[in-house]
Amino acid sequence: MFLGTHTPRLDDKGRLILPAKFRDELAGGVVITKGQERCLYVFPMPEFQRIAEQLRAQPMTSKAARAYNRVFFAGAHDEVPDKQGRVTIPAHLREYAALDRDLVVIGASTRVEIWDRTAWESYLADSEDDFADIEEGVLPGGL
C-alpha cells in the first residue's frame, strides 16, 4: 500500500527519483499514465495488469468504456526504475499534468500519483471542505 506525501523535483532530463519508501514495490516495473484531475498515475506492473483485465471485461459497445480505454492506454508508458529509483516521465505526460520542476508525489493506496506542486496545493485547498463533508455512502459503515 502506498501512503504519504513527498516533494521531489523533476530533473532536466524529465526524470523523477521515486520516494525511497515506494521503490521496493515499484522496482519490478511501473506503468505511468494519465490520471484524473490532471495528475499522473503510477502503477506497479501487477496492479496495472489487474486494472487492464477489468477494463478488457467491459463491453466494446460501451462508449464510455471505449473513451476511457483510449485515454488510459494511449498515454501509458512502461519502464523499470534504474538503480537510483529514477523513472523518466515522457514529454506528453509532463505536458498533460503541467509538470514543472517542483512535484508532489502521493501514495494513493494501490497507486502513486504525481502532481505539479501548485496544482496539488490548489486541489487540496479546494477539496478539504468536501473531504470533511463526505457522507456515509462513500465509506460504508463509516470510520
Side-chain angles (χ1 to χ4, degrees):
M1 181 179 296
F2 298 104
L3 303 170
T5 302
H6 308 270
T7 54
R9 295 186 130 194
L10 201 59
D11 73 13
D12 294 335
K13 296 180 181 179
R15 295 178 301 189
L16 162 71
I17 298 175
L18 295 166
K21 70 185 290 185
F22 297 165
R23 287 184 203 158
D24 286 346
E25 194 164 344
L26 300 174
V30 301
V31 176
I32 305 169
T33 192
K34 292 177 179 180
Q36 292 157 305
E37 290 88 27
R38 293 274 177 180
C39 71
L40 300 179
Y41 291 164
V42 180
F43 295 101
M45 190 58 73
E47 178 64 9
F48 185 82
Q49 291 168 337
R50 185 189 70 75
I51 292 167
E53 286 298 319
Q54 288 180 328
L55 292 171
R56 267 193 286 272
Q58 299 303 309
M60 284 181 50
T61 55
S62 166
K63 186 175 182 176
R66 287 192 315 271
Y68 190 85
N69 281 336
R70 287 176 183 135
V71 172
F72 189 74
F73 290 109
H77 168 76
D78 61 327
E79 100 173 70
V80 175
D82 70 12
K83 292 181 189 212
Q84 288 80 35
R86 292 180 301 197
V87 292
T88 300
I89 302 173
H92 73 279
L93 291 175
R94 291 194 312 265
E95 288 173 25
Y96 169 80
L99 299 182
D100 199 10
R101 191 147 174 82
D102 295 319
L103 307 178
V104 173
V105 175
I106 65 166
S109 184
T110 60
R111 70 178 180 273
V112 172
E113 293 183 359
I114 302 171
W115 290 76
D116 172 75
R117 185 175 296 178
T118 303
W120 171 251
E121 290 168 355
S122 176
Y123 173 81
L124 205 52
D126 291 345
S127 57
E128 288 279 326
D129 289 338
D130 293 338
F131 179 76
D133 294 336
I134 290 176
E135 297 180 22
E136 186 175 327
V138 174
L139 296 170
L143 290 177

